[in-house]
Amino acid sequence: MTEIKIEEKVMDKFERPLISLRISITNRCNVKCFYCHHDGIVPRNYEMTSNEMQRIVKVAKEIGIEKIRLSGGEPLIRDDIVDIVTKISSVGFRDISLTTNGVLLGKYAEQLYNAGLTRVNVSFDTLNPETYKRITKRDYMELAKNGVERAVKAGLNPVKVNMVVMKGINDSEIWDMFQFCKDTGAILQLIELLKTENCQESEFFDEYHFDMGELEDELSKISNRVKTRRFMQDRKKYFVNGGEIEIVRPMDNTEFCKNCTRLRITPDGKIKPCLLRNDNLVDLIEPMRRGFSDEELKKVFLKAIENREPYFTDKC
Ligand code: SAM
């Protein structure tokens, strides 16, 4: 395995170091979750190649990036996903993770683990095939469930199941999901529904939004231990009867911005310095395709970082 040598650490002007890089490797997807925001589709031939991604993470490592997360769209619909992970892993990172809907995870879990993937988050909202179909418009519940099981068996650790809890749809399944995760060896993360472009209208949001408040009160009472994750927006992790539950609340707060150490890359190769903004993207792939050297690409990264500022501040 490649020796992991952390390079020079770059800070933005708010003294936030850049530690993790989230690469959206496609925005194509194989399910159609009704609550999901769909960014404009990038045609397949504009997506970055595995070699381009390898070069990007190599330069990113030189400015101090230590962790890589692959996302999408659905990252596992890239035919070359194992090659992508192999190439990124060869650069040497302490953590390479992936966010997936799990449908193709049964097919790839072992190969991805062998290629150097360390952990995985599986978006999986229900164990009921009808509810699954209602949410995703697809009949893939068993495949996704199998994906979670195969990921644990393959040795990926941790395997987290992300369940978006929705009132009247799957809120009655929280404890079944907890049991499934506990039996499988996965960790359940309950995600609070966010307002997105598709559910902007408050009608949609009011109908399905499930407030985690009451559940958190219940969990506080029945947990053997509660851990607060300080640099993760004070996210709470509850240890209940030999299993774990984490709660992910919306992140529109100053703490989230203060502790943000993440850069993003869009599927068409642009650096996105802030999750909540689209007006300050910096193109990386175009200069790379024009023949920029690694040193010049590093300057492109630094330019993107120079303009980073917290979206939410105490003044907001
Ligand atoms: N295809 C991959 C997957 O399914 O994990 C990666 C992309 S998906 C958009 C990333 C995550 O965003 C999933 O966990 C999904 O459940 C979550 N998500 C999408 N829309 C959401 C919303 N309105 N509220 C909360 N979470 C949402």
PDB file of all heavy atoms in Angstrom, residues 22 28-31 33 35-37 70-76 98-102 121-125 162-164 191-196 199 204, ligand 1:
ATOM      1  N   ARG A  22     -15.091  16.163  -1.862  1.00  0.00           N
ATOM      2  CA  ARG A  22     -16.236  15.347  -2.257  1.00  0.00           C
ATOM      3  C   ARG A  22     -16.381  15.465  -3.772  1.00  0.00           C
ATOM      4  O   ARG A  22     -16.640  16.547  -4.290  1.00  0.00           O
ATOM      5  CB  ARG A  22     -17.494  15.863  -1.548  1.00  0.00           C
ATOM      6  CG  ARG A  22     -18.683  14.973  -1.731  1.00  0.00           C
ATOM      7  CD  ARG A  22     -19.854  15.525  -0.938  1.00  0.00           C
ATOM      8  NE  ARG A  22     -20.991  14.670  -1.063  1.00  0.00           N
ATOM      9  CZ  ARG A  22     -21.600  14.058  -0.057  1.00  0.00           C
ATOM     10  NH1 ARG A  22     -21.186  14.237   1.173  1.00  0.00           N
ATOM     11  NH2 ARG A  22     -22.632  13.274  -0.259  1.00  0.00           N
ATOM     12  N   ARG A  28     -25.888  11.286 -13.263  1.00  0.00           N
ATOM     13  CA  ARG A  28     -26.918  10.344 -13.715  1.00  0.00           C
ATOM     14  C   ARG A  28     -27.306   9.471 -12.527  1.00  0.00           C
ATOM     15  O   ARG A  28     -26.510   9.266 -11.611  1.00  0.00           O
ATOM     16  CB  ARG A  28     -26.376   9.456 -14.837  1.00  0.00           C
ATOM     17  CG  ARG A  28     -26.087  10.248 -16.111  1.00  0.00           C
ATOM     18  CD  ARG A  28     -25.425   9.417 -17.179  1.00  0.00           C
ATOM     19  NE  ARG A  28     -24.044   9.097 -16.870  1.00  0.00           N
ATOM     20  CZ  ARG A  28     -23.538   7.868 -16.840  1.00  0.00           C
ATOM     21  NH1 ARG A  28     -24.309   6.819 -17.099  1.00  0.00           N
ATOM     22  NH2 ARG A  28     -22.269   7.668 -16.563  1.00  0.00           N
ATOM     23  N   CYS A  29     -28.536   8.968 -12.529  1.00  0.00           N
ATOM     24  CA  CYS A  29     -28.969   8.120 -11.414  1.00  0.00           C
ATOM     25  C   CYS A  29     -29.889   7.009 -11.923  1.00  0.00           C
ATOM     26  O   CYS A  29     -30.522   7.152 -12.969  1.00  0.00           O
ATOM     27  CB  CYS A  29     -29.693   8.964 -10.360  1.00  0.00           C
ATOM     28  SG  CYS A  29     -29.901   8.084  -8.793  1.00  0.00           S
ATOM     29  N   ASN A  30     -29.953   5.909 -11.190  1.00  0.00           N
ATOM     30  CA  ASN A  30     -30.799   4.787 -11.604  1.00  0.00           C
ATOM     31  C   ASN A  30     -32.085   4.670 -10.790  1.00  0.00           C
ATOM     32  O   ASN A  30     -32.826   3.709 -10.934  1.00  0.00           O
ATOM     33  CB  ASN A  30     -30.012   3.459 -11.564  1.00  0.00           C
ATOM     34  CG  ASN A  30     -29.262   3.259 -10.253  1.00  0.00           C
ATOM     35  OD1 ASN A  30     -29.271   4.120  -9.384  1.00  0.00           O
ATOM     36  ND2 ASN A  30     -28.623   2.114 -10.105  1.00  0.00           N
ATOM     37  N   VAL A  31     -32.327   5.629  -9.882  1.00  0.00           N
ATOM     38  CA  VAL A  31     -33.634   5.694  -9.208  1.00  0.00           C
ATOM     39  C   VAL A  31     -34.150   7.125  -9.316  1.00  0.00           C
ATOM     40  O   VAL A  31     -33.413   8.020  -9.734  1.00  0.00           O
ATOM     41  CB  VAL A  31     -33.553   5.261  -7.718  1.00  0.00           C
ATOM     42  CG1 VAL A  31     -33.187   3.804  -7.577  1.00  0.00           C
ATOM     43  CG2 VAL A  31     -32.581   6.147  -6.935  1.00  0.00           C
ATOM     44  N   CYS A  33     -35.901   9.297  -6.761  1.00  0.00           N
ATOM     45  CA  CYS A  33     -36.505   9.614  -5.463  1.00  0.00           C
ATOM     46  C   CYS A  33     -37.295  10.914  -5.576  1.00  0.00           C
ATOM     47  O   CYS A  33     -36.779  11.908  -6.083  1.00  0.00           O
ATOM     48  CB  CYS A  33     -35.432   9.750  -4.397  1.00  0.00           C
ATOM     49  SG  CYS A  33     -34.528   8.216  -4.186  1.00  0.00           S
ATOM     50  N   TYR A  35     -38.168  13.062  -3.522  1.00  0.00           N
ATOM     51  CA  TYR A  35     -37.762  14.219  -2.716  1.00  0.00           C
ATOM     52  C   TYR A  35     -36.422  14.796  -3.157  1.00  0.00           C
ATOM     53  O   TYR A  35     -35.926  15.757  -2.598  1.00  0.00           O
ATOM     54  CB  TYR A  35     -37.681  13.829  -1.238  1.00  0.00           C
ATOM     55  CG  TYR A  35     -36.777  12.644  -0.941  1.00  0.00           C
ATOM     56  CD1 TYR A  35     -35.394  12.756  -1.011  1.00  0.00           C
ATOM     57  CD2 TYR A  35     -37.316  11.410  -0.601  1.00  0.00           C
ATOM     58  CE1 TYR A  35     -34.571  11.685  -0.745  1.00  0.00           C
ATOM     59  CE2 TYR A  35     -36.501  10.328  -0.317  1.00  0.00           C
ATOM     60  CZ  TYR A  35     -35.125  10.475  -0.394  1.00  0.00           C
ATOM     61  OH  TYR A  35     -34.313   9.410  -0.140  1.00  0.00           O
ATOM     62  N   CYS A  36     -35.792  14.176  -4.138  1.00  0.00           N
ATOM     63  CA  CYS A  36     -34.412  14.535  -4.484  1.00  0.00           C
ATOM     64  C   CYS A  36     -34.365  15.727  -5.432  1.00  0.00           C
ATOM     65  O   CYS A  36     -35.191  15.848  -6.330  1.00  0.00           O
ATOM     66  CB  CYS A  36     -33.725  13.343  -5.133  1.00  0.00           C
ATOM     67  SG  CYS A  36     -31.968  13.611  -5.373  1.00  0.00           S
ATOM     68  N   HIS A  37     -33.384  16.576  -5.209  1.00  0.00           N
ATOM     69  CA  HIS A  37     -33.140  17.673  -6.143  1.00  0.00           C
ATOM     70  C   HIS A  37     -32.329  17.099  -7.303  1.00  0.00           C
ATOM     71  O   HIS A  37     -31.436  16.287  -7.100  1.00  0.00           O
ATOM     72  CB  HIS A  37     -32.352  18.790  -5.472  1.00  0.00           C
ATOM     73  CG  HIS A  37     -31.072  18.303  -4.861  1.00  0.00           C
ATOM     74  ND1 HIS A  37     -29.863  18.370  -5.488  1.00  0.00           N
ATOM     75  CD2 HIS A  37     -30.844  17.672  -3.685  1.00  0.00           C
ATOM     76  CE1 HIS A  37     -28.940  17.846  -4.724  1.00  0.00           C
ATOM     77  NE2 HIS A  37     -29.499  17.398  -3.624  1.00  0.00           N
ATOM     78  N   LEU A  70     -16.743   9.904  -2.729  1.00  0.00           N
ATOM     79  CA  LEU A  70     -17.311   9.856  -4.080  1.00  0.00           C
ATOM     80  C   LEU A  70     -18.830   9.857  -3.967  1.00  0.00           C
ATOM     81  O   LEU A  70     -19.397   9.120  -3.164  1.00  0.00           O
ATOM     82  CB  LEU A  70     -16.834   8.597  -4.816  1.00  0.00           C
ATOM     83  CG  LEU A  70     -15.317   8.446  -4.922  1.00  0.00           C
ATOM     84  CD1 LEU A  70     -14.958   7.143  -5.616  1.00  0.00           C
ATOM     85  CD2 LEU A  70     -14.709   9.632  -5.685  1.00  0.00           C
ATOM     86  N   SER A  71     -19.457  10.681  -4.803  1.00  0.00           N
ATOM     87  CA  SER A  71     -20.905  10.773  -4.728  1.00  0.00           C
ATOM     88  C   SER A  71     -21.469  11.018  -6.118  1.00  0.00           C
ATOM     89  O   SER A  71     -20.770  10.860  -7.116  1.00  0.00           O
ATOM     90  CB  SER A  71     -21.266  11.897  -3.747  1.00  0.00           C
ATOM     91  OG  SER A  71     -22.650  11.944  -3.577  1.00  0.00           O
ATOM     92  N   GLY A  72     -22.726  11.432  -6.186  1.00  0.00           N
ATOM     93  CA  GLY A  72     -23.326  11.682  -7.483  1.00  0.00           C
ATOM     94  C   GLY A  72     -24.582  12.524  -7.314  1.00  0.00           C
ATOM     95  O   GLY A  72     -24.709  13.231  -6.301  1.00  0.00           O
ATOM     96  N   GLY A  73     -25.528  12.326  -8.180  1.00  0.00           N
ATOM     97  CA  GLY A  73     -25.915  11.166  -8.966  1.00  0.00           C
ATOM     98  C   GLY A  73     -25.630   9.851  -8.245  1.00  0.00           C
ATOM     99  O   GLY A  73     -25.393   9.839  -7.048  1.00  0.00           O
ATOM    100  N   GLU A  74     -25.670   8.793  -8.988  1.00  0.00           N
ATOM    101  CA  GLU A  74     -25.369   7.492  -8.395  1.00  0.00           C
ATOM    102  C   GLU A  74     -23.988   7.038  -8.880  1.00  0.00           C
ATOM    103  O   GLU A  74     -23.826   6.670 -10.057  1.00  0.00           O
ATOM    104  CB  GLU A  74     -26.475   6.488  -8.780  1.00  0.00           C
ATOM    105  CG  GLU A  74     -26.195   5.057  -8.387  1.00  0.00           C
ATOM    106  CD  GLU A  74     -25.715   4.894  -6.932  1.00  0.00           C
ATOM    107  OE1 GLU A  74     -26.217   5.559  -6.022  1.00  0.00           O
ATOM    108  OE2 GLU A  74     -24.793   4.083  -6.720  1.00  0.00           O
ATOM    109  N   PRO A  75     -22.992   7.067  -7.989  1.00  0.00           N
ATOM    110  CA  PRO A  75     -21.621   6.769  -8.440  1.00  0.00           C
ATOM    111  C   PRO A  75     -21.456   5.365  -9.010  1.00  0.00           C
ATOM    112  O   PRO A  75     -20.613   5.159  -9.891  1.00  0.00           O
ATOM    113  CB  PRO A  75     -20.781   6.949  -7.170  1.00  0.00           C
ATOM    114  CG  PRO A  75     -21.732   7.011  -6.040  1.00  0.00           C
ATOM    115  CD  PRO A  75     -23.045   7.459  -6.566  1.00  0.00           C
ATOM    116  N   LEU A  76     -22.274   4.414  -8.541  1.00  0.00           N
ATOM    117  CA  LEU A  76     -22.059   3.036  -9.010  1.00  0.00           C
ATOM    118  C   LEU A  76     -22.597   2.796 -10.423  1.00  0.00           C
ATOM    119  O   LEU A  76     -22.404   1.696 -10.956  1.00  0.00           O
ATOM    120  CB  LEU A  76     -22.656   2.025  -8.026  1.00  0.00           C
ATOM    121  CG  LEU A  76     -22.055   2.041  -6.612  1.00  0.00           C
ATOM    122  CD1 LEU A  76     -22.577   0.865  -5.794  1.00  0.00           C
ATOM    123  CD2 LEU A  76     -20.539   2.023  -6.624  1.00  0.00           C
ATOM    124  N   LEU A  98     -17.810   6.418  -0.065  1.00  0.00           N
ATOM    125  CA  LEU A  98     -18.710   6.529  -1.211  1.00  0.00           C
ATOM    126  C   LEU A  98     -20.149   6.607  -0.701  1.00  0.00           C
ATOM    127  O   LEU A  98     -20.497   5.956   0.285  1.00  0.00           O
ATOM    128  CB  LEU A  98     -18.506   5.277  -2.066  1.00  0.00           C
ATOM    129  CG  LEU A  98     -19.288   5.093  -3.343  1.00  0.00           C
ATOM    130  CD1 LEU A  98     -18.311   4.712  -4.467  1.00  0.00           C
ATOM    131  CD2 LEU A  98     -20.319   3.989  -3.236  1.00  0.00           C
ATOM    132  N   THR A  99     -20.963   7.420  -1.365  1.00  0.00           N
ATOM    133  CA  THR A  99     -22.388   7.498  -1.031  1.00  0.00           C
ATOM    134  C   THR A  99     -23.165   6.903  -2.195  1.00  0.00           C
ATOM    135  O   THR A  99     -22.986   7.336  -3.335  1.00  0.00           O
ATOM    136  CB  THR A  99     -22.823   8.973  -0.838  1.00  0.00           C
ATOM    137  OG1 THR A  99     -21.957   9.560   0.113  1.00  0.00           O
ATOM    138  CG2 THR A  99     -24.237   9.063  -0.341  1.00  0.00           C
ATOM    139  N   THR A 100     -24.005   5.929  -1.903  1.00  0.00           N
ATOM    140  CA  THR A 100     -24.702   5.198  -2.971  1.00  0.00           C
ATOM    141  C   THR A 100     -26.121   4.852  -2.546  1.00  0.00           C
ATOM    142  O   THR A 100     -26.411   4.788  -1.352  1.00  0.00           O
ATOM    143  CB  THR A 100     -23.943   3.892  -3.311  1.00  0.00           C
ATOM    144  OG1 THR A 100     -24.747   3.096  -4.191  1.00  0.00           O
ATOM    145  CG2 THR A 100     -23.639   3.045  -2.074  1.00  0.00           C
ATOM    146  N   ASN A 101     -26.975   4.584  -3.542  1.00  0.00           N
ATOM    147  CA  ASN A 101     -28.308   4.083  -3.181  1.00  0.00           C
ATOM    148  C   ASN A 101     -28.283   2.575  -2.965  1.00  0.00           C
ATOM    149  O   ASN A 101     -29.299   1.975  -2.647  1.00  0.00           O
ATOM    150  CB  ASN A 101     -29.356   4.478  -4.234  1.00  0.00           C
ATOM    151  CG  ASN A 101     -28.983   3.976  -5.621  1.00  0.00           C
ATOM    152  OD1 ASN A 101     -28.446   2.881  -5.784  1.00  0.00           O
ATOM    153  ND2 ASN A 101     -29.274   4.776  -6.641  1.00  0.00           N
ATOM    154  N   GLY A 102     -27.160   1.936  -3.174  1.00  0.00           N
ATOM    155  CA  GLY A 102     -26.984   0.531  -2.818  1.00  0.00           C
ATOM    156  C   GLY A 102     -27.452  -0.474  -3.857  1.00  0.00           C
ATOM    157  O   GLY A 102     -27.156  -1.671  -3.756  1.00  0.00           O
ATOM    158  N   ASN A 121     -21.741   4.925   2.635  1.00  0.00           N
ATOM    159  CA  ASN A 121     -23.054   5.333   3.140  1.00  0.00           C
ATOM    160  C   ASN A 121     -24.089   4.891   2.119  1.00  0.00           C
ATOM    161  O   ASN A 121     -23.950   5.216   0.933  1.00  0.00           O
ATOM    162  CB  ASN A 121     -23.150   6.856   3.268  1.00  0.00           C
ATOM    163  CG  ASN A 121     -22.458   7.361   4.508  1.00  0.00           C
ATOM    164  OD1 ASN A 121     -21.503   6.753   4.994  1.00  0.00           O
ATOM    165  ND2 ASN A 121     -22.922   8.466   5.036  1.00  0.00           N
ATOM    166  N   VAL A 122     -25.098   4.149   2.583  1.00  0.00           N
ATOM    167  CA  VAL A 122     -26.122   3.680   1.651  1.00  0.00           C
ATOM    168  C   VAL A 122     -27.436   4.398   1.944  1.00  0.00           C
ATOM    169  O   VAL A 122     -27.947   4.341   3.063  1.00  0.00           O
ATOM    170  CB  VAL A 122     -26.340   2.148   1.787  1.00  0.00           C
ATOM    171  CG1 VAL A 122     -27.291   1.656   0.696  1.00  0.00           C
ATOM    172  CG2 VAL A 122     -25.018   1.402   1.712  1.00  0.00           C
ATOM    173  N   SER A 123     -27.960   5.083   0.938  1.00  0.00           N
ATOM    174  CA  SER A 123     -29.238   5.766   1.105  1.00  0.00           C
ATOM    175  C   SER A 123     -30.328   4.731   0.910  1.00  0.00           C
ATOM    176  O   SER A 123     -30.521   4.213  -0.197  1.00  0.00           O
ATOM    177  CB  SER A 123     -29.379   6.874   0.064  1.00  0.00           C
ATOM    178  OG  SER A 123     -28.255   7.706   0.141  1.00  0.00           O
ATOM    179  N   PHE A 124     -31.006   4.407   1.989  1.00  0.00           N
ATOM    180  CA  PHE A 124     -31.964   3.298   1.962  1.00  0.00           C
ATOM    181  C   PHE A 124     -33.047   3.656   2.979  1.00  0.00           C
ATOM    182  O   PHE A 124     -32.800   3.659   4.180  1.00  0.00           O
ATOM    183  CB  PHE A 124     -31.208   2.013   2.335  1.00  0.00           C
ATOM    184  CG  PHE A 124     -32.018   0.760   2.290  1.00  0.00           C
ATOM    185  CD1 PHE A 124     -32.724   0.398   1.146  1.00  0.00           C
ATOM    186  CD2 PHE A 124     -32.071  -0.092   3.391  1.00  0.00           C
ATOM    187  CE1 PHE A 124     -33.469  -0.777   1.112  1.00  0.00           C
ATOM    188  CE2 PHE A 124     -32.800  -1.272   3.360  1.00  0.00           C
ATOM    189  CZ  PHE A 124     -33.506  -1.614   2.218  1.00  0.00           C
ATOM    190  N   ASP A 125     -34.242   3.955   2.470  1.00  0.00           N
ATOM    191  CA  ASP A 125     -35.254   4.567   3.324  1.00  0.00           C
ATOM    192  C   ASP A 125     -36.293   3.615   3.880  1.00  0.00           C
ATOM    193  O   ASP A 125     -37.055   3.995   4.772  1.00  0.00           O
ATOM    194  CB  ASP A 125     -36.011   5.657   2.524  1.00  0.00           C
ATOM    195  CG  ASP A 125     -35.098   6.760   2.033  1.00  0.00           C
ATOM    196  OD1 ASP A 125     -34.124   7.067   2.743  1.00  0.00           O
ATOM    197  OD2 ASP A 125     -35.352   7.305   0.943  1.00  0.00           O
ATOM    198  N   ASN A 162     -28.380   5.593   5.385  1.00  0.00           N
ATOM    199  CA  ASN A 162     -29.015   6.914   5.475  1.00  0.00           C
ATOM    200  C   ASN A 162     -30.496   6.780   5.180  1.00  0.00           C
ATOM    201  O   ASN A 162     -30.885   6.460   4.055  1.00  0.00           O
ATOM    202  CB  ASN A 162     -28.415   7.866   4.431  1.00  0.00           C
ATOM    203  CG  ASN A 162     -27.024   8.317   4.794  1.00  0.00           C
ATOM    204  OD1 ASN A 162     -26.538   8.050   5.894  1.00  0.00           O
ATOM    205  ND2 ASN A 162     -26.381   9.009   3.876  1.00  0.00           N
ATOM    206  N   MET A 163     -31.308   7.022   6.182  1.00  0.00           N
ATOM    207  CA  MET A 163     -32.763   6.912   5.996  1.00  0.00           C
ATOM    208  C   MET A 163     -33.373   8.309   6.118  1.00  0.00           C
ATOM    209  O   MET A 163     -33.321   8.912   7.192  1.00  0.00           O
ATOM    210  CB  MET A 163     -33.331   5.991   7.086  1.00  0.00           C
ATOM    211  CG  MET A 163     -34.830   5.930   7.145  1.00  0.00           C
ATOM    212  SD  MET A 163     -35.358   4.959   8.591  1.00  0.00           S
ATOM    213  CE  MET A 163     -37.131   4.847   8.300  1.00  0.00           C
ATOM    214  N   VAL A 164     -33.911   8.825   5.017  1.00  0.00           N
ATOM    215  CA  VAL A 164     -34.627  10.101   5.085  1.00  0.00           C
ATOM    216  C   VAL A 164     -36.008   9.788   5.666  1.00  0.00           C
ATOM    217  O   VAL A 164     -36.776   9.023   5.079  1.00  0.00           O
ATOM    218  CB  VAL A 164     -34.771  10.750   3.686  1.00  0.00           C
ATOM    219  CG1 VAL A 164     -35.569  12.056   3.770  1.00  0.00           C
ATOM    220  CG2 VAL A 164     -33.410  11.012   3.060  1.00  0.00           C
ATOM    221  N   ILE A 191     -32.083  10.898   8.626  1.00  0.00           N
ATOM    222  CA  ILE A 191     -31.876  12.190   7.975  1.00  0.00           C
ATOM    223  C   ILE A 191     -33.187  12.972   7.966  1.00  0.00           C
ATOM    224  O   ILE A 191     -34.219  12.435   7.541  1.00  0.00           O
ATOM    225  CB  ILE A 191     -31.434  12.001   6.497  1.00  0.00           C
ATOM    226  CG1 ILE A 191     -30.409  10.876   6.350  1.00  0.00           C
ATOM    227  CG2 ILE A 191     -30.995  13.312   5.860  1.00  0.00           C
ATOM    228  CD1 ILE A 191     -28.995  11.225   6.521  1.00  0.00           C
ATOM    229  N   GLU A 192     -33.125  14.195   8.413  1.00  0.00           N
ATOM    230  CA  GLU A 192     -34.326  15.034   8.367  1.00  0.00           C
ATOM    231  C   GLU A 192     -34.513  15.553   6.940  1.00  0.00           C
ATOM    232  O   GLU A 192     -33.545  15.991   6.305  1.00  0.00           O
ATOM    233  CB  GLU A 192     -34.163  16.188   9.361  1.00  0.00           C
ATOM    234  CG  GLU A 192     -35.460  16.915   9.613  1.00  0.00           C
ATOM    235  CD  GLU A 192     -35.407  17.783  10.867  1.00  0.00           C
ATOM    236  OE1 GLU A 192     -34.891  17.337  11.915  1.00  0.00           O
ATOM    237  OE2 GLU A 192     -35.899  18.912  10.795  1.00  0.00           O
ATOM    238  N   LEU A 193     -35.741  15.465   6.450  1.00  0.00           N
ATOM    239  CA  LEU A 193     -36.049  15.929   5.086  1.00  0.00           C
ATOM    240  C   LEU A 193     -35.686  17.409   4.933  1.00  0.00           C
ATOM    241  O   LEU A 193     -35.995  18.223   5.791  1.00  0.00           O
ATOM    242  CB  LEU A 193     -37.542  15.726   4.814  1.00  0.00           C
ATOM    243  CG  LEU A 193     -38.041  16.067   3.409  1.00  0.00           C
ATOM    244  CD1 LEU A 193     -37.531  15.058   2.388  1.00  0.00           C
ATOM    245  CD2 LEU A 193     -39.564  16.096   3.372  1.00  0.00           C
ATOM    246  N   LEU A 194     -35.026  17.719   3.818  1.00  0.00           N
ATOM    247  CA  LEU A 194     -34.663  19.114   3.531  1.00  0.00           C
ATOM    248  C   LEU A 194     -35.581  19.660   2.459  1.00  0.00           C
ATOM    249  O   LEU A 194     -36.048  18.911   1.600  1.00  0.00           O
ATOM    250  CB  LEU A 194     -33.248  19.172   2.957  1.00  0.00           C
ATOM    251  CG  LEU A 194     -32.077  18.817   3.851  1.00  0.00           C
ATOM    252  CD1 LEU A 194     -30.813  18.772   3.003  1.00  0.00           C
ATOM    253  CD2 LEU A 194     -31.945  19.861   4.940  1.00  0.00           C
ATOM    254  N   LYS A 195     -35.750  20.965   2.463  1.00  0.00           N
ATOM    255  CA  LYS A 195     -36.465  21.589   1.343  1.00  0.00           C
ATOM    256  C   LYS A 195     -35.498  21.644   0.170  1.00  0.00           C
ATOM    257  O   LYS A 195     -34.375  22.117   0.325  1.00  0.00           O
ATOM    258  CB  LYS A 195     -36.861  23.017   1.703  1.00  0.00           C
ATOM    259  CG  LYS A 195     -38.108  23.103   2.518  1.00  0.00           C
ATOM    260  CD  LYS A 195     -38.591  24.530   2.623  1.00  0.00           C
ATOM    261  CE  LYS A 195     -39.732  24.559   3.627  1.00  0.00           C
ATOM    262  NZ  LYS A 195     -40.348  25.845   3.765  1.00  0.00           N
ATOM    263  N   THR A 196     -35.889  21.143  -0.977  1.00  0.00           N
ATOM    264  CA  THR A 196     -35.033  21.241  -2.164  1.00  0.00           C
ATOM    265  C   THR A 196     -35.892  21.811  -3.289  1.00  0.00           C
ATOM    266  O   THR A 196     -37.072  22.089  -3.081  1.00  0.00           O
ATOM    267  CB  THR A 196     -34.505  19.862  -2.603  1.00  0.00           C
ATOM    268  OG1 THR A 196     -35.627  19.070  -2.984  1.00  0.00           O
ATOM    269  CG2 THR A 196     -33.745  19.159  -1.500  1.00  0.00           C
ATOM    270  N   CYS A 199     -39.139  20.165  -3.652  1.00  0.00           N
ATOM    271  CA  CYS A 199     -40.119  20.210  -2.580  1.00  0.00           C
ATOM    272  C   CYS A 199     -40.100  21.588  -1.933  1.00  0.00           C
ATOM    273  O   CYS A 199     -40.226  21.739  -0.750  1.00  0.00           O
ATOM    274  CB  CYS A 199     -39.914  19.100  -1.559  1.00  0.00           C
ATOM    275  SG  CYS A 199     -38.256  18.952  -0.940  1.00  0.00           S
ATOM    276  N   PHE A 204     -45.609  20.465   0.165  1.00  0.00           N
ATOM    277  CA  PHE A 204     -44.880  19.194   0.116  1.00  0.00           C
ATOM    278  C   PHE A 204     -44.131  18.973   1.421  1.00  0.00           C
ATOM    279  O   PHE A 204     -44.219  17.937   2.056  1.00  0.00           O
ATOM    280  CB  PHE A 204     -43.881  19.223  -1.048  1.00  0.00           C
ATOM    281  CG  PHE A 204     -42.997  17.993  -1.107  1.00  0.00           C
ATOM    282  CD1 PHE A 204     -43.289  16.951  -1.976  1.00  0.00           C
ATOM    283  CD2 PHE A 204     -41.876  17.878  -0.285  1.00  0.00           C
ATOM    284  CE1 PHE A 204     -42.476  15.824  -2.018  1.00  0.00           C
ATOM    285  CE2 PHE A 204     -41.063  16.754  -0.327  1.00  0.00           C
ATOM    286  CZ  PHE A 204     -41.374  15.730  -1.199  1.00  0.00           C
TER     287      PHE A 204
HETATM  288  N1  SAM B   1     -27.014   8.377  -5.276  1.00  0.00           N
HETATM  289  C1  SAM B   1     -26.305   8.543  -4.060  1.00  0.00           C
HETATM  290  C2  SAM B   1     -27.162   8.125  -2.889  1.00  0.00           C
HETATM  291  O1  SAM B   1     -28.316   7.728  -3.105  1.00  0.00           O
HETATM  292  O2  SAM B   1     -26.663   8.163  -1.771  1.00  0.00           O
HETATM  293  C3  SAM B   1     -25.734   9.920  -3.834  1.00  0.00           C
HETATM  294  C4  SAM B   1     -26.599  11.098  -4.116  1.00  0.00           C
HETATM  295  S1  SAM B   1     -27.988  11.329  -3.062  1.00  0.00           S
HETATM  296  C5  SAM B   1     -28.635  12.836  -3.728  1.00  0.00           C
HETATM  297  C6  SAM B   1     -27.227  11.828  -1.560  1.00  0.00           C
HETATM  298  C7  SAM B   1     -28.111  11.853  -0.337  1.00  0.00           C
HETATM  299  O3  SAM B   1     -28.965  12.972  -0.364  1.00  0.00           O
HETATM  300  C8  SAM B   1     -28.971  10.648  -0.108  1.00  0.00           C
HETATM  301  O4  SAM B   1     -28.729  10.128   1.182  1.00  0.00           O
HETATM  302  C9  SAM B   1     -30.376  11.203  -0.169  1.00  0.00           C
HETATM  303  O5  SAM B   1     -31.219  10.470   0.639  1.00  0.00           O
HETATM  304  C10 SAM B   1     -30.155  12.620   0.304  1.00  0.00           C
HETATM  305  N2  SAM B   1     -31.228  13.527  -0.062  1.00  0.00           N
HETATM  306  C11 SAM B   1     -31.650  13.861  -1.292  1.00  0.00           C
HETATM  307  N3  SAM B   1     -32.690  14.729  -1.237  1.00  0.00           N
HETATM  308  C12 SAM B   1     -32.922  14.967   0.080  1.00  0.00           C
HETATM  309  C13 SAM B   1     -33.873  15.751   0.803  1.00  0.00           C
HETATM  310  N4  SAM B   1     -34.825  16.467   0.191  1.00  0.00           N
HETATM  311  N5  SAM B   1     -33.813  15.745   2.158  1.00  0.00           N
HETATM  312  C14 SAM B   1     -32.877  15.005   2.796  1.00  0.00           C
HETATM  313  N6  SAM B   1     -31.977  14.240   2.174  1.00  0.00           N
HETATM  314  C15 SAM B   1     -31.991  14.210   0.836  1.00  0.00           C
END
